[in-house]
Structure formats: structure tokens, C-alpha cells
Amino acid sequence: MKEALKLSLSQKLQQRLSPLQMRFVRMLEMNGPEMEDEVRRELDDNPALEVADNPASQGEDTAYQESAEQLQMADYKDEDDMPSYRLEARNHSVNDEYYEPVAVAGTGTLMDNLIAQLTETDISDFDLSIARYIIGNIDDNGYLTRTLSQLLDDLAFNAGIEISMDKLREIFTRIRSLDPAGICALDLRDCLVLQLRRLPATEDDKLALEIVEHYFDIFSLRHYDRLLNMLDVSKEQLQRGIDVIKGLDPKPGSHLGGSDDEDRSRHIIPDFNVEVDDDTVTLSLLNNIPDLAIEESFISDGKEFINAPSSRRNDDAELFIKRKREEAYDFIELLRLRQETLYKVMSAIVKWQHDFFMTEDESKLRPMILKDIAKMTGYDLSVISRATAGKYVATSGGVYPLKFFFNERVGDGEEETSSREILLAIKEIISNEDRSHPLNDDAIMKILHKNGYDIARRTVAKYRERLNIPVARLRKEI
């Protein structure tokens, strides 16, 4: 078989983004706080960039930047007229006790909390080391992720500790007696049993424990008629027992180990603000991005600052000044384009969803997709997607993500029927149903047809799942 080399010529057309376009795309995806951090980093890195001086705004800022302490001191003619306590760092009498602020640590992790409870008991060091290993296999919800036999093998092979199953079970039981109730459970049923056994032995608590221990599968499927026959109780008694079960915590470990600082940091900062005055809708872009300008010494090529004859060092200085100045110009232009793009996209959304912003009624939301805004603004679909991702708008009724306003049309002939309207209709139908005989998807579809919404049963199922509403069987109550 002969082998031969072949040389062929082909033409290929490729489109590649320039570095500036790539940076603009990245800046467009940023929300307000992220963009403010980007501006601060650029100001630190590029000496040719500075915050533009605005005499008008500067005068306003200095007029209202006095602190509360300065305003109080302004009541006195000079420092000689001020009482001594005003000049002291601690505004207290010498006889008063002064308490220094102390930083208090958080609740700690779930493991730290459980270990701390064990150390307060008379547990030995050896048993505590075994308990640490067991607790290390408890997930954030409080469930044990390994079986006892697996833990026994792990201790032998990984930690080199050999103990009997009875000893391991003893320490395991000791951990399950800690707070919160239900910790170190093997599954949901075990978690509920642990909590029920700590409740007072009332009739309702005993019935709830019997349901979970012996009829959990039937209870989870909500076959209440079978439960009534098996338990030989009245509907009222069964309802009270179920109410006890519903009051239990299915994730006892989720309340421990959370960081308060992390929770506080998860707040939303709107990128836009919409105000309605009579029939006028006013849109404003919210950010703390200052006006940027080129630093005065970088405006020229810097030749006037270089008195020595031309040399390699002077040429490098001129090249540095020119490069930093061009980077500063590019950044200012990209920032302007970003702000302009965001404002145009949000203006188009406000114009399209004008009725919603006037009333803030979700049923007034019109069907809207990325292509609709792209036609109004002239931008590409990818630009619209990036400009709306992770952005929020503040209104008098609350804060909404921009993705909230995008919803597809439902049906071929119902162009003005949005998915949001269908979701609200389904939610209202289910909220008004008979809990003892909940409606299935086919029955909901027929009601929607009567109300003028021509959609299929599979569409009803899709929207019901989007609302996190279970099927009819799991919505059944006594």
C-alpha cells in the first residue's frame, strides 16, 4: 500500500473578538458593585486615569460632609468654650464604667457545636476521638452519611483504630442524644422518630410516633383513609397527630454552623430604579461609578518633562506614557458604552412592560423574549442576555431581577398570554381547590380551557412543577 502526502488549499472565514470587545463583554456582565470594584482596580493600576473634577458636585459634597461630632462642636465659638468632656475620646464621666466593644464569635460549625456538648460530659478521650470521627461524617442537614459498618471499617483502615460494634453503637447513641433533637439520624424517618421521642408523652405525640414508626410509607403517600382504618382513630385525632409531625424539623443541622456575616453579605443591590409619577415612568441607573478623565501629565507625550537628549530611557518613558494614556481612553470609552447599553436595554424593558410598572400587577406582564428587546435596541441577543444577567431593578413595590420580565408566549393563537399569567392562574386554581380532593393536571387543564387558556396537560404539569407544587396525590389532606 503506497502512502502519499497531499497538499490542499482551503478558505475559512472566522470571526474573533478583539481584546477590547472581550473586555467590554466582561464588563457588561458585571453588576453594579462588581463594576465599582473594577473601576477602583483600574484607577490603582493605571496612573493615567483619575477621577474627573466636578466643581459643582464637589461644592455640594463638601457642604454636607460634616460629621455629627463636627456639627455639635460648631455650636461653640472656639475650643476654649467647649466643655472638657467634648474633647475627650470617651464621652463619659470619670466615674462611669466604660465597656470596650468585644467581637463575639459566631455559633461555630455543626461539628464544633456537637464536640462542645460532648466535652461537657464525662466522656473519655478515646471515646471523644471516636465521636469526632462519627461527627465528621454528618452532613450540614444533620444526617449521618455512612453506616455503622462502614464507619467501623473506616476507623480500622484509615485511623488504625479497632473497636467493637457495640462500642461504636454506644458512642453513636450518645451523639444522637445531643441537641438539636434529630441529629445524627440515618434518614428522614429516623430523624422524626428521634424528635418525637423527646416530646411529652401526650396522646397526640404517641399517635404521631406510631405513624412515623410503623406507617411512615403510607403517611408519606398521604393514604389517609388507610391510616384511619389501621389506627382506628377519628379524623380529628389523625389530623392532630399529623400536625405534630408537620411541626418537626426535617433538617435539624441546618440551623447550626451558618455564618451570620455570610448571610448578611447576601444582599441585593439594584442596578436600576423605576419611579412612577401619575402616567410618567422615570428610569435611572444606580451606581457609584465616578466620572473618569485622563491625568493631566499624561495628556501629552511627556516630552516637555524630559529635558535630556533622546535616549533609550526617554524613549521608554514616552512609550509608557502613550500606552497608559491609550489604555485609559479605552477604559473610559468601554465604561461609557456599558452604561449606555444597560440604560437602553432597561429602557426597552420598561417600555415593553409599561403596564406592569404602572400597576405592579404580575398579570399585566406581556410576553417578552430576548428577541423582542433586541429588535427595539438593535443589539445582538447575546448583548441583551449579558446586560440582563444578574441585574436588578428597584420599584415602589419591591426589587425584581431583570430575568423576571422575560416570559414566553403560551399557545400559537394567544400572543398576549404570557407564561407568567398562566402560572398565576394555575396557582390561584390550586389555592382554591378542595384539599380533601385536590385537582389533577387534567382537571386544571379543563378549568383553564373554560377561562380562555388553550394549553395542553403537559404544559400544566410543566408550570406546576415550576411553581414547586406537588402532584394532586401529595397535596391531599384529611
Side-chain angles (χ1 to χ4, degrees):
M1 181 177 179
K2 296 182 179 181
E3 295 182 358
L5 297 176
K6 292 184 179 180
L7 182 64
S8 61
L9 184 66
S10 62
Q11 289 184 340
K12 186 181 294 185
L13 184 62
Q14 291 183 338
Q15 185 178 9
R16 294 183 178 180
L17 296 177
S18 66
L20 280 180
Q21 289 174 322
M22 292 292 293
R23 189 171 191 185
F24 173 71
V25 167
R26 188 170 63 87
M27 290 171 61
L28 193 61
E29 292 175 342
M30 295 179 181
N31 55 28
E34 292 172 344
M35 194 64 235
E36 292 171 15
D37 293 339
E38 181 72 12
V39 171
R40 280 192 290 268
R41 280 193 297 267
E42 192 67 21
L43 285 170
D44 293 337
D45 296 340
N46 194 343
L49 200 63
E50 67 175 1
V51 178
D53 292 331
N54 191 340
S57 61
Q58 189 175 12
E60 293 177 2
D61 292 341
T62 55
Y64 296 98
Q65 284 183 346
E66 292 182 318
S67 64
E69 183 180 357
Q70 290 172 333
L71 290 174
Q72 290 178 351
M73 290 184 175
D75 296 334
Y76 305 98
K77 184 178 180 180
D78 51 35
E79 291 187 1
D80 294 335
D81 294 338
M82 294 181 187
S84 59
Y85 71 87
R86 287 291 188 191
L87 301 176
E88 292 179 358
R90 299 176 179 177
N91 190 8
H92 291 271
S93 170
V94 293
N95 297 323
D96 291 343
E97 293 184 2
Y98 187 82
Y99 298 95
E100 292 286 350
V102 179
V104 181
T107 57
T109 63
L110 174 62
M111 182 174 183
D112 293 338
N113 193 289
L114 296 177
I115 294 296
Q117 294 183 55
L118 284 174
T119 54
E120 294 176 356
T121 63
D122 58 347
I123 189 170
S124 65
D125 293 339
F126 178 77
D127 290 354
L128 184 61
S129 63
I130 304 298
R132 286 180 183 273
Y133 201 91
I134 298 175
I135 294 173
N137 288 276
I138 297 177
D139 62 17
D140 294 337
N141 294 325
Y143 291 90
L144 189 64
T145 58
R146 306 280 285 174
T147 63
L148 292 182
S149 59
Q150 289 173 335
L151 287 173
L152 199 66
D153 294 337
D154 293 342
L155 285 168
F157 292 108
N158 298 335
I161 301 174
E162 294 199 12
I163 61 172
S164 64
M165 177 60 76
D166 293 337
K167 184 64 175 178
L168 181 64
R169 188 174 288 108
E170 175 189 341
I171 301 174
F172 167 71
T173 305
R174 192 166 189 170
I175 296 173
R176 286 157 63 91
S177 65
L178 301 176
D179 292 327
I183 206 70
C184 200
L186 301 176
D187 51 31
L188 177 60
R189 174 184 167 278
D190 187 32
C191 178
L192 299 179
V193 168
L194 288 175
Q195 296 179 57
L196 288 169
R197 285 177 177 171
R198 293 202 195 180
L199 295 178
T202 63
E203 294 298 326
D204 295 339
D205 297 337
K206 290 180 181 178
L207 178 60
L209 181 60
E210 185 179 359
I211 293 173
V212 175
E213 279 190 323
H214 304 292
Y215 307 103
F216 186 72
D217 293 337
I218 300 175
F219 165 74
S220 61
L221 294 175
R222 302 204 175 194
H223 293 164
Y224 297 133
D225 294 337
R226 293 179 59 187
L227 279 177
L228 288 172
N229 295 330
M230 292 178 175
L231 296 170
D232 192 21
V233 294
S234 64
K235 285 187 176 182
E236 292 75 13
Q237 290 175 312
L238 180 60
Q239 184 62 59
R240 289 197 300 270
I242 292 175
D243 290 340
V244 173
I245 299 174
K246 288 182 178 180
L248 303 177
D249 188 358
K251 299 179 180 180
S254 61
H255 305 293
L256 296 176
S259 174
D260 296 336
D261 294 335
E262 183 179 353
D263 293 338
R264 284 194 295 267
S265 64
R266 295 174 183 170
H267 57 276
I268 295 174
I269 299 178
D271 300 89
F272 306 92
N273 183 60
V274 173
E275 295 181 354
V276 178
D277 185 12
D278 295 334
D279 294 333
T280 305
V281 179
T282 305
L283 170 66
S284 57
L285 188 61
L286 302 177
N287 57 59
N288 294 322
I289 300 175
D291 295 331
L292 303 179
I294 305 298
E295 206 271 333
E296 185 177 357
S297 60
F298 282 81
I299 293 179
S300 62
D301 290 334
K303 293 181 179 180
E304 62 273 20
F305 300 102
I306 304 173
N307 299 322
S310 178
S311 64
R312 176 69 179 272
R313 185 175 181 180
N314 295 339
D315 292 341
D316 290 343
E318 291 182 23
L319 184 62
F320 173 80
I321 292 174
K322 183 178 179 181
R323 179 167 56 85
K324 289 299 181 180
R325 183 177 66 243
E326 290 176 354
E327 290 177 0
Y329 276 126
D330 291 339
F331 186 79
I332 293 173
E333 180 62 17
L334 291 178
L335 185 59
R336 184 193 65 81
L337 287 175
R338 175 192 180 272
Q339 303 294 83
E340 179 183 337
T341 302
L342 291 180
Y343 190 84
K344 285 185 177 180
V345 170
M346 189 62 212
S347 297
I349 294 176
V350 171
K351 185 176 181 181
W352 189 277
Q353 303 290 3
H354 181 269
D355 292 342
F356 169 80
F357 285 104
M358 295 298 298
T359 61
E360 301 217 15
D361 183 0
E362 291 189 23
S363 62
K364 299 292 184 180
L365 282 171
R366 295 176 56 194
M368 185 181 76
I369 56 177
L370 294 176
K371 190 180 295 184
D372 298 325
I373 304 301
K375 289 180 180 178
M376 296 179 65
T377 58
Y379 295 133
D380 189 78
L381 292 177
S382 61
V383 174
I384 306 298
S385 178
R386 289 186 173 93
T388 55
K391 311 295 191 309
Y392 293 83
V393 57
T395 67
S396 59
V399 178
Y400 300 91
L402 297 194
K403 294 296 184 181
F404 168 81
F405 303 102
F406 291 90
N407 53 96
E408 68 272 16
R409 293 170 175 81
V410 180
D412 298 330
E414 298 286 346
E415 292 193 0
E416 288 304 316
T417 302
S418 67
S419 60
R420 187 75 59 181
E421 187 176 348
I422 298 296
L423 288 170
L424 290 174
I426 294 175
K427 188 175 182 180
E428 184 179 359
I429 291 172
I430 293 178
S431 63
N432 296 326
E433 70 182 357
D434 183 4
R435 295 297 183 184
S436 59
H437 299 87
L439 301 171
N440 57 25
D441 294 338
D442 190 62
I444 296 175
M445 179 196 69
K446 293 178 180 178
I447 296 176
L448 289 173
H449 285 178
K450 292 180 181 179
N451 295 337
Y453 301 111
D454 187 14
I455 61 175
R457 186 195 60 81
R458 63 179 179 273
T459 306
V460 174
K462 180 182 72 172
Y463 287 163
R464 175 183 52 74
E465 292 173 357
R466 188 183 298 182
L467 291 168
N468 294 322
I469 298 177
V471 296
R473 173 176 54 81
L474 298 180
R475 301 198 306 270
K476 185 178 180 180
E477 295 181 0
I478 301 177

